[in-house]
Amino acid sequence: MRALAPWKPFRELSTLHEDMDELFRRFFTDEEWPRTAGVYGTVPAVESFVRDGELVMRADLPGIDPKKVELAMEGHHLILKGEREAKEERKEKDYLYREVSYGRFERAIELPEGVDTESIKATYHDGVLEVTMKAPKEMVAKKVPITVH
């Protein structure tokens, strides 16, 4: 027979606190793509898709000088670093509303197994950085016929 354990209300609050921390960690972060302070309060928005046998990744970098952007490979991660510099140095401005962040940013994007990292190409146009590389055959979309009975 198991002994009765005394009720400890603070233990329950601690468990609730840990559960809430875990919920916020999972919702606001992505451990495969670490986020650090910088542009947009975190990192530039990124999208990826397969087009004509290539993995395409785009990062929104409006207002960022492409000369201030660095792209590198580290293991299976594509590292995107850069800086968005403030155009004005006037500190006394009274802003009514401000969502724009300035400063350094960094993002590590884990690449799928089998991409050809030797084929990486990067272009920058209208504030969007586009990175392409050959995708593994498993990532290329294949149409599946649907049989209707």
Side-chain angles (χ1 to χ4, degrees):
M1 180 174 179
R2 200 170 127 203
L4 292 175
W7 181 58
K8 296 181 180 175
F10 292 109
R11 181 180 61 202
E12 298 299 322
L13 286 175
S14 177
T15 302
L16 177 62
H17 185 264
E18 290 169 5
D19 290 345
M20 292 299 290
D21 283 348
E22 175 67 13
L23 175 68
F24 279 98
R25 184 191 60 74
R26 283 189 293 152
F27 185 76
F28 291 111
T29 64
D30 185 342
E31 294 191 359
E32 291 182 12
W33 295 352
R35 299 167 187 234
T36 58
V39 177
Y40 318 117
T42 55
V43 293
V46 174
E47 66 179 348
S48 65
F49 54 91
V50 176
R51 175 184 66 204
D52 300 328
E54 288 189 321
L55 175 62
V56 179
M57 285 187 282
R58 291 185 183 149
D60 287 338
L61 304 172
I64 298 175
D65 182 353
K67 295 173 188 155
K68 300 282 184 180
V69 176
E70 182 182 325
L71 200 57
M73 285 294 306
E74 290 182 15
H76 290 289
H77 290 86
L78 182 67
I79 309 298
L80 175 61
K81 296 179 185 179
E83 184 172 1
R84 184 175 192 180
E85 295 179 344
K87 301 289 183 207
E88 282 187 32
E89 287 296 320
R90 299 175 72 189
K91 304 283 185 199
E92 70 275 358
K93 255 193 171 172
D94 290 327
Y95 288 94
L96 295 176
Y97 189 73
R98 183 177 183 177
E99 290 183 351
V100 178
S101 297
Y102 298 95
R104 296 202 45 78
F105 62 87
E106 181 175 339
R107 180 149 192 191
I109 303 165
E110 187 172 359
L111 298 175
E113 209 49 54
V115 294
D116 181 5
T117 57
E118 297 298 318
S119 66
I120 291 178
K121 295 177 188 162
T123 57
Y124 186 92
H125 181 70
D126 289 340
V128 177
L129 175 69
E130 183 173 287
V131 180
T132 60
M133 65 199 80
K134 289 183 183 175
K137 291 180 182 173
E138 301 84 38
M139 289 186 72
V140 178
K142 176 184 169 188
K143 289 193 175 191
V144 177
I146 300 172
T147 306
V148 180
H149 295 281

